[in-house]
Amino acid sequence: MSKKILPLVLGAAMGVAASAAHAGTLEDVKAKGFVQCGVSQGLPGFSNPDAQGNWTGLDVDLCRAVAAAVFGDASAVKFTPLSAKERFTALQSGEVDILSRNTTWTMSRDTALGLNFAGVNYYDGQGFMVRKDLGVTSALELSGASVCTNTGTTTELNVADYFRANNMPYEIVAFEKADEVVAAYDAGRCDVYTTDASGLYAQRLKLSNPGDHMVLPEIISKEPLGPVVRQGDDQWFNIAKWTLNAMINAEELGVTSENVDDMKGSDNPSVKRLLGAEGAFGEAIGLSNDWAYNIIKGVGNYGQSFDANVGPDTPLGIARGVNALWSKGGVLYAPPVR
Protein backbone atom coordinates (compact mmCIF):
# COMPACT_ATOMS: atom_id res chain seq x y z
CA MET A 1 0.00 0.00 0.00
CA SER A 2 1.20 3.48 -0.81
CA LYS A 3 2.49 5.42 2.19
CA LYS A 4 0.55 8.47 0.97
CA ILE A 5 -2.74 6.58 1.06
CA LEU A 6 -2.29 4.76 4.37
CA PRO A 7 -3.32 7.66 6.66
CA LEU A 8 -6.49 8.24 4.62
CA VAL A 9 -7.49 4.61 4.76
CA LEU A 10 -6.64 4.30 8.44
CA GLY A 11 -8.79 7.34 9.16
CA ALA A 12 -11.66 5.80 7.27
CA ALA A 13 -11.17 2.56 9.17
CA MET A 14 -11.45 4.25 12.54
CA GLY A 15 -14.51 6.26 11.54
CA VAL A 16 -16.71 4.91 8.77
CA ALA A 17 -15.79 1.27 9.20
CA ALA A 18 -16.55 1.28 12.90
CA SER A 19 -20.21 2.03 12.22
CA ALA A 20 -20.49 -0.07 9.06
CA ALA A 21 -19.10 -3.25 10.57
CA HIS A 22 -22.18 -4.30 12.47
CA ALA A 23 -23.44 -7.82 12.96
CA GLY A 24 -26.14 -8.03 10.34
CA THR A 25 -24.65 -8.30 6.85
CA LEU A 26 -26.47 -11.56 6.14
CA GLU A 27 -29.81 -9.97 7.02
CA ASP A 28 -29.01 -6.93 4.89
CA VAL A 29 -28.01 -9.12 1.95
CA LYS A 30 -31.17 -11.20 2.21
CA ALA A 31 -33.31 -8.06 2.42
CA LYS A 32 -31.96 -6.62 -0.83
CA GLY A 33 -31.86 -10.03 -2.54
CA PHE A 34 -28.24 -10.10 -3.74
CA VAL A 35 -24.60 -9.93 -2.69
CA GLN A 36 -22.78 -6.72 -3.64
CA CYS A 37 -19.25 -7.74 -4.55
CA GLY A 38 -16.27 -5.42 -5.05
CA VAL A 39 -14.06 -6.53 -7.94
CA SER A 40 -11.30 -5.11 -10.13
CA GLN A 41 -11.85 -2.72 -13.00
CA GLY A 42 -10.94 -5.50 -15.40
CA LEU A 43 -8.34 -8.20 -14.80
CA PRO A 44 -8.74 -11.18 -17.18
CA GLY A 45 -8.97 -14.48 -15.36
CA PHE A 46 -9.82 -12.90 -12.00
CA SER A 47 -12.59 -10.34 -12.47
CA ASN A 48 -13.32 -9.08 -15.95
CA PRO A 49 -16.52 -8.00 -17.76
CA ASP A 50 -17.33 -8.85 -21.36
CA ALA A 51 -18.94 -6.46 -23.84
CA GLN A 52 -22.38 -7.23 -22.37
CA GLY A 53 -21.22 -6.56 -18.82
CA ASN A 54 -21.11 -10.22 -17.77
CA TRP A 55 -18.38 -10.75 -15.18
CA THR A 56 -16.16 -13.84 -15.07
CA GLY A 57 -13.03 -14.86 -13.21
CA LEU A 58 -11.63 -16.65 -10.19
CA ASP A 59 -12.58 -13.78 -7.85
CA VAL A 60 -15.99 -13.49 -9.49
CA ASP A 61 -16.63 -17.18 -8.88
CA LEU A 62 -15.95 -16.68 -5.18
CA CYS A 63 -18.66 -14.03 -5.03
CA ARG A 64 -21.03 -16.18 -7.05
CA ALA A 65 -20.34 -19.00 -4.61
CA VAL A 66 -21.27 -16.79 -1.64
CA ALA A 67 -24.52 -15.93 -3.43
CA ALA A 68 -25.18 -19.62 -4.02
CA ALA A 69 -24.54 -20.37 -0.35
CA VAL A 70 -26.93 -17.64 0.81
CA PHE A 71 -29.68 -17.79 -1.82
CA GLY A 72 -29.17 -21.12 -3.59
CA ASP A 73 -28.66 -18.97 -6.69
CA ALA A 74 -25.18 -18.15 -7.98
CA SER A 75 -26.56 -15.30 -10.09
CA ALA A 76 -27.84 -13.34 -7.07
CA VAL A 77 -24.80 -11.06 -7.08
CA LYS A 78 -23.96 -7.60 -8.39
CA PHE A 79 -20.46 -6.35 -9.09
CA THR A 80 -18.85 -3.02 -8.27
CA PRO A 81 -15.58 -2.34 -10.12
CA LEU A 82 -13.08 -0.65 -7.81
CA SER A 83 -9.60 0.80 -8.20
CA ALA A 84 -6.85 -0.35 -5.85
CA LYS A 85 -7.02 3.03 -4.11
CA GLU A 86 -10.76 2.98 -3.39
CA ARG A 87 -11.37 -0.73 -2.69
CA PHE A 88 -10.93 -0.68 1.09
CA THR A 89 -13.00 2.45 1.63
CA ALA A 90 -15.82 0.90 -0.42
CA LEU A 91 -15.84 -2.13 1.86
CA GLN A 92 -15.45 -0.12 5.07
CA SER A 93 -18.35 2.16 4.15
CA GLY A 94 -20.71 -0.71 3.30
CA GLU A 95 -20.83 0.07 -0.41
CA VAL A 96 -19.95 -3.60 -1.00
CA ASP A 97 -20.61 -6.66 1.16
CA ILE A 98 -17.42 -8.47 0.23
CA LEU A 99 -14.25 -7.51 -1.60
CA SER A 100 -12.94 -10.19 -3.97
CA ARG A 101 -10.38 -8.23 -5.93
CA ASN A 102 -6.94 -9.89 -6.17
CA THR A 103 -6.11 -8.29 -2.81
CA THR A 104 -3.00 -9.22 -0.84
CA TRP A 105 -3.44 -10.32 2.77
CA THR A 106 -0.94 -8.39 4.90
CA MET A 107 -0.68 -7.75 8.63
CA SER A 108 -1.46 -4.02 8.41
CA ARG A 109 -4.51 -4.60 6.25
CA ASP A 110 -5.72 -7.35 8.57
CA THR A 111 -5.26 -5.36 11.77
CA ALA A 112 -5.51 -1.62 11.06
CA LEU A 113 -8.34 -1.22 8.55
CA GLY A 114 -11.28 -2.80 10.34
CA LEU A 115 -11.24 -5.70 7.88
CA ASN A 116 -10.89 -9.50 7.96
CA PHE A 117 -9.39 -11.68 5.24
CA ALA A 118 -11.48 -14.81 4.82
CA GLY A 119 -8.69 -16.97 3.37
CA VAL A 120 -6.49 -17.25 0.29
CA ASN A 121 -7.99 -18.11 -3.08
CA TYR A 122 -4.75 -17.56 -5.02
CA TYR A 123 -1.15 -17.72 -3.81
CA ASP A 124 0.79 -15.21 -5.89
CA GLY A 125 4.02 -13.23 -5.90
CA GLN A 126 5.12 -9.96 -7.47
CA GLY A 127 7.02 -10.15 -10.74
CA PHE A 128 8.29 -7.99 -13.60
CA MET A 129 7.40 -7.81 -17.29
CA VAL A 130 9.64 -6.24 -19.93
CA ARG A 131 9.87 -5.95 -23.68
CA LYS A 132 11.94 -8.72 -25.14
CA ASP A 133 13.96 -6.20 -27.14
CA LEU A 134 15.15 -4.64 -23.87
CA GLY A 135 17.61 -7.51 -23.81
CA VAL A 136 17.34 -8.45 -20.13
CA THR A 137 16.65 -11.89 -18.71
CA SER A 138 16.71 -11.11 -14.99
CA ALA A 139 15.29 -8.45 -12.71
CA LEU A 140 18.82 -7.97 -11.40
CA GLU A 141 19.62 -6.31 -14.73
CA LEU A 142 17.05 -3.53 -14.22
CA SER A 143 19.31 -0.94 -12.61
CA GLY A 144 18.20 2.55 -13.66
CA ALA A 145 14.88 1.32 -15.09
CA SER A 146 11.60 3.19 -14.98
CA VAL A 147 8.91 1.01 -13.44
CA CYS A 148 5.14 1.28 -14.04
CA THR A 149 2.73 0.17 -11.34
CA ASN A 150 -0.52 0.95 -9.49
CA THR A 151 -0.90 3.36 -6.61
CA GLY A 152 -2.59 2.06 -3.46
CA THR A 153 -0.99 -1.41 -3.64
CA THR A 154 1.79 -3.36 -1.99
CA THR A 155 3.78 -3.31 -5.23
CA GLU A 156 5.34 0.10 -4.69
CA LEU A 157 6.80 -0.92 -1.33
CA ASN A 158 7.99 -4.26 -2.68
CA VAL A 159 9.76 -2.55 -5.59
CA ALA A 160 11.44 -0.12 -3.20
CA ASP A 161 12.63 -3.00 -1.00
CA TYR A 162 13.90 -5.06 -3.94
CA PHE A 163 15.82 -2.30 -5.70
CA ARG A 164 17.27 -0.97 -2.44
CA ALA A 165 18.36 -4.45 -1.34
CA ASN A 166 20.16 -4.90 -4.66
CA ASN A 167 21.65 -1.36 -4.73
CA MET A 168 19.88 -0.46 -7.98
CA PRO A 169 18.48 3.00 -8.74
CA TYR A 170 15.03 3.15 -10.36
CA GLU A 171 12.18 5.51 -11.15
CA ILE A 172 8.58 4.74 -10.24
CA VAL A 173 5.76 5.69 -12.65
CA ALA A 174 2.46 5.12 -10.83
CA PHE A 175 -1.18 5.37 -11.89
CA GLU A 176 -4.43 4.81 -10.02
CA LYS A 177 -6.18 2.60 -12.56
CA ALA A 178 -4.79 -0.68 -13.86
CA ASP A 179 -5.69 0.14 -17.46
CA GLU A 180 -3.70 3.37 -17.15
CA VAL A 181 -0.66 1.37 -16.11
CA VAL A 182 -1.08 -1.01 -19.03
CA ALA A 183 -1.51 1.85 -21.49
CA ALA A 184 1.56 3.68 -20.18
CA TYR A 185 3.72 0.56 -20.38
CA ASP A 186 2.40 -0.31 -23.84
CA ALA A 187 3.19 3.26 -25.01
CA GLY A 188 6.78 2.97 -23.82
CA ARG A 189 6.50 5.42 -20.93
CA CYS A 190 8.38 2.97 -18.72
CA ASP A 191 10.79 0.06 -19.13
CA VAL A 192 9.13 -2.35 -16.74
CA TYR A 193 5.63 -3.27 -15.62
CA THR A 194 5.36 -4.77 -12.16
CA THR A 195 2.40 -6.30 -10.32
CA ASP A 196 1.42 -9.76 -9.12
CA ALA A 197 2.66 -12.39 -11.56
CA SER A 198 -0.90 -13.51 -12.27
CA GLY A 199 -1.76 -9.92 -13.15
CA LEU A 200 1.18 -9.70 -15.54
CA TYR A 201 -0.06 -12.72 -17.49
CA ALA A 202 -3.56 -11.24 -17.53
CA GLN A 203 -2.56 -7.70 -18.51
CA ARG A 204 -0.16 -8.91 -21.20
CA LEU A 205 -3.24 -9.99 -23.16
CA LYS A 206 -4.25 -6.31 -23.40
CA LEU A 207 -0.97 -5.15 -24.99
CA SER A 208 -0.75 -4.26 -28.68
CA ASN A 209 1.69 -7.13 -29.31
CA PRO A 210 1.60 -9.55 -26.35
CA GLY A 211 4.25 -11.79 -27.89
CA ASP A 212 6.81 -8.97 -27.73
CA HIS A 213 6.83 -9.05 -23.93
CA MET A 214 8.11 -11.51 -21.33
CA VAL A 215 7.70 -12.07 -17.61
CA LEU A 216 11.06 -12.28 -15.86
CA PRO A 217 11.73 -15.29 -13.60
CA GLU A 218 12.15 -13.46 -10.29
CA ILE A 219 9.30 -13.44 -7.78
CA ILE A 220 10.13 -10.79 -5.19
CA SER A 221 7.32 -11.11 -2.65
CA LYS A 222 4.61 -13.23 -1.11
CA GLU A 223 1.19 -12.10 -2.34
CA PRO A 224 -1.54 -14.28 -0.81
CA LEU A 225 -4.70 -13.01 -2.48
CA GLY A 226 -8.11 -13.49 -0.95
CA PRO A 227 -11.62 -12.23 -0.17
CA VAL A 228 -12.14 -9.55 2.48
CA VAL A 229 -15.07 -8.59 4.72
CA ARG A 230 -15.61 -6.04 7.48
CA GLN A 231 -14.66 -6.82 11.06
CA GLY A 232 -17.45 -6.99 13.61
CA ASP A 233 -19.71 -9.51 11.87
CA ASP A 234 -18.50 -13.00 12.66
CA GLN A 235 -21.42 -14.68 10.93
CA TRP A 236 -20.70 -13.04 7.56
CA PHE A 237 -16.97 -13.64 8.06
CA ASN A 238 -17.70 -17.34 8.60
CA ILE A 239 -19.91 -17.49 5.49
CA ALA A 240 -17.16 -16.00 3.31
CA LYS A 241 -14.48 -18.19 4.88
CA TRP A 242 -16.42 -21.44 4.64
CA THR A 243 -17.56 -20.74 1.10
CA LEU A 244 -13.92 -20.79 0.03
CA ASN A 245 -13.19 -23.81 2.25
CA ALA A 246 -16.14 -25.69 0.74
CA MET A 247 -14.81 -25.18 -2.80
CA ILE A 248 -11.35 -26.43 -1.81
CA ASN A 249 -12.71 -29.40 0.17
CA ALA A 250 -15.00 -30.32 -2.73
CA GLU A 251 -12.05 -30.59 -5.08
CA GLU A 252 -10.15 -32.74 -2.61
CA LEU A 253 -13.17 -35.03 -2.19
CA GLY A 254 -13.76 -35.28 -5.93
CA VAL A 255 -17.11 -33.49 -5.83
CA THR A 256 -17.80 -31.45 -8.97
CA SER A 257 -20.71 -29.50 -10.44
CA GLU A 258 -21.32 -32.46 -12.76
CA ASN A 259 -21.39 -35.25 -10.17
CA VAL A 260 -22.64 -33.44 -7.06
CA ASP A 261 -26.15 -34.89 -7.33
CA ASP A 262 -24.80 -38.42 -7.44
CA MET A 263 -22.33 -37.66 -4.65
CA LYS A 264 -25.21 -36.74 -2.34
CA GLY A 265 -25.68 -40.50 -1.97
CA SER A 266 -22.01 -41.11 -1.11
CA ASP A 267 -21.11 -43.28 1.88
CA ASN A 268 -18.06 -41.08 2.57
CA PRO A 269 -18.78 -39.24 5.85
CA SER A 270 -16.75 -36.22 4.73
CA VAL A 271 -18.83 -35.90 1.56
CA LYS A 272 -22.08 -36.40 3.49
CA ARG A 273 -21.18 -33.57 5.91
CA LEU A 274 -20.08 -31.27 3.07
CA LEU A 275 -23.27 -31.76 1.09
CA GLY A 276 -25.63 -31.52 4.06
CA ALA A 277 -26.70 -35.15 4.16
CA GLU A 278 -25.34 -35.41 7.70
CA GLY A 279 -25.11 -32.85 10.50
CA ALA A 280 -26.37 -29.27 10.66
CA PHE A 281 -23.32 -27.33 9.60
CA GLY A 282 -25.21 -24.84 7.47
CA GLU A 283 -27.48 -23.90 10.34
CA ALA A 284 -24.40 -23.08 12.41
CA ILE A 285 -23.63 -20.14 10.10
CA GLY A 286 -27.20 -19.07 9.41
CA LEU A 287 -27.63 -20.95 6.11
CA SER A 288 -29.54 -23.98 4.90
CA ASN A 289 -27.79 -27.32 5.28
CA ASP A 290 -27.42 -27.65 1.51
CA TRP A 291 -25.34 -24.45 1.38
CA ALA A 292 -22.21 -26.23 0.08
CA TYR A 293 -24.22 -28.36 -2.36
CA ASN A 294 -25.59 -25.12 -3.82
CA ILE A 295 -22.07 -23.69 -4.15
CA ILE A 296 -20.73 -26.73 -5.98
CA LYS A 297 -23.84 -27.16 -8.15
CA GLY A 298 -23.91 -23.49 -9.13
CA VAL A 299 -20.21 -22.65 -9.39
CA GLY A 300 -18.12 -25.81 -9.09
CA ASN A 301 -15.17 -26.73 -6.90
CA TYR A 302 -11.95 -24.72 -6.65
CA GLY A 303 -10.16 -26.74 -9.33
CA GLN A 304 -13.00 -26.24 -11.79
CA SER A 305 -12.91 -22.49 -11.19
CA PHE A 306 -9.13 -22.35 -11.56
CA ASP A 307 -9.11 -24.37 -14.78
CA ALA A 308 -11.94 -22.38 -16.34
CA ASN A 309 -10.50 -18.95 -15.57
CA VAL A 310 -6.71 -19.01 -15.37
CA GLY A 311 -5.57 -22.59 -16.04
CA PRO A 312 -3.31 -24.03 -18.73
CA ASP A 313 -6.10 -24.22 -21.31
CA THR A 314 -7.07 -20.54 -20.95
CA PRO A 315 -5.38 -17.53 -22.59
CA LEU A 316 -3.51 -16.91 -19.31
CA GLY A 317 -2.10 -20.44 -19.31
CA ILE A 318 -1.14 -20.55 -15.62
CA ALA A 319 -0.10 -23.90 -14.14
CA ARG A 320 -1.54 -24.86 -10.74
CA GLY A 321 1.90 -24.71 -9.08
CA VAL A 322 1.60 -23.82 -5.40
CA ASN A 323 -2.15 -23.37 -5.92
CA ALA A 324 -2.55 -27.13 -6.28
CA LEU A 325 -4.07 -29.11 -3.43
CA TRP A 326 -1.73 -30.03 -0.60
CA SER A 327 -2.17 -33.68 -1.61
CA LYS A 328 -0.87 -32.86 -5.10
CA GLY A 329 2.23 -30.86 -4.28
CA GLY A 330 0.62 -27.46 -3.62
CA VAL A 331 -0.35 -25.55 -0.49
CA LEU A 332 -4.17 -25.50 -0.75
CA TYR A 333 -5.47 -27.03 2.46
CA ALA A 334 -8.91 -26.32 3.89
CA PRO A 335 -10.17 -27.17 7.39
CA PRO A 336 -12.70 -30.01 7.32
CA VAL A 337 -16.47 -29.73 7.61
CA ARG A 338 -17.12 -31.69 10.80
Side-chain angles (χ1 to χ4, degrees):
M1 175 181 293
S2 166
K3 294 179 180 177
K4 295 180 181 178
I5 294 165
L6 186 57
L8 296 176
V9 178
L10 289 177
M14 291 184 290
V16 178
S19 61
H22 64 283
T25 305
L26 177 60
E27 289 76 14
D28 292 345
V29 166
K30 285 182 175 179
K32 64 188 177 187
F34 59 88
V35 177
Q36 193 74 46
C37 177
V39 290
S40 76
Q41 293 170 313
L43 185 66
F46 289 84
S47 50
N48 198 53
D50 62 17
Q52 288 73 45
N54 300 308
W55 287 84
T56 59
L58 195 70
D59 288 337
V60 167
D61 278 356
L62 191 283
C63 289
R64 294 176 64 238
V66 171
V70 173
F71 297 106
D73 179 3
S75 68
V77 58
K78 295 184 179 180
F79 299 99
T80 301
L82 300 166
S83 71
K85 181 179 178 180
E86 64 194 6
R87 55 185 160 173
F88 297 122
T89 303
L91 180 60
Q92 291 162 348
S93 67
E95 180 183 346
V96 297
D97 303 309
I98 183 171
L99 180 69
S100 187
R101 190 203 173 282
N102 55 289
T103 296
T104 302
W105 186 353
T106 68
M107 183 176 179
S108 60
R109 290 173 173 178
D110 200 33
T111 59
L113 302 184
L115 306 177
N116 278 330
F117 281 78
V120 178
N121 72 332
Y122 191 91
Y123 289 90
D124 210 346
Q126 186 174 331
F128 299 95
M129 181 164 62
V130 299
R131 295 168 186 79
K132 292 178 180 178
D133 62 13
L134 192 63
V136 303
T137 58
S138 167
L140 295 173
E141 301 171 27
L142 295 177
S143 181
S146 54
V147 183
C148 277
T149 192
N150 276 94
T151 56
T153 69
T154 57
T155 58
E156 289 177 283
L157 299 180
N158 292 336
V159 165
D161 288 347
Y162 182 78
F163 277 79
R164 184 175 60 201
N166 289 287
N167 298 311
M168 298 188 301
Y170 73 103
E171 175 190 359
I172 201 77
V173 183
F175 300 87
E176 180 178 343
K177 297 181 179 180
D179 281 345
E180 294 174 337
V181 184
V182 175
Y185 171 73
D186 204 19
R189 294 180 59 184
C190 52
D191 304 309
V192 186
Y193 179 19
T194 185
T195 188
D196 297 342
S198 61
L200 294 177
Y201 285 104
Q203 302 290 29
R204 184 168 61 175
L205 300 177
K206 299 180 181 179
L207 299 176
S208 302
N209 298 291
D212 293 344
H213 304 264
M214 62 183 289
V215 178
L216 297 176
E218 287 82 5
I219 297 295
I220 68 168
S221 69
K222 294 188 294 184
E223 305 292 336
L225 311 179
V228 196
V229 296
R230 290 180 292 277
Q231 288 181 2
D233 188 343
D234 287 348
Q235 182 184 51
W236 188 246
F237 177 43
N238 283 333
I239 289 171
K241 176 169 52 180
W242 282 97
T243 292
L244 175 58
N245 288 339
M247 294 179 73
I248 296 171
N249 278 322
E251 181 183 8
E252 184 174 346
L253 293 168
V255 184
T256 70
S257 57
E258 286 81 15
N259 70 15
V260 66
D261 287 309
D262 292 336
M263 293 292 276
K264 288 180 74 174
S266 171
D267 292 329
N268 184 328
S270 295
V271 174
K272 291 170 74 71
R273 288 191 293 267
L274 177 68
L275 299 183
E278 183 175 297
F281 298 98
E283 292 178 12
I285 55 175
L287 302 178
S288 61
N289 280 331
D290 60 354
W291 64 283
Y293 165 85
N294 291 330
I295 290 172
I296 301 160
K297 183 69 174 180
V299 181
N301 64 37
Y302 178 86
Q304 288 181 288
S305 178
F306 186 100
D307 289 344
N309 292 299
V310 301
D313 294 330
T314 69
L316 271 69
I318 299 175
R320 283 294 290 266
V322 295
N323 289 292
L325 294 172
W326 67 279
S327 56
K328 296 185 177 179
V331 299
L332 279 194
Y333 185 107
V337 177
R338 66 171 310 136

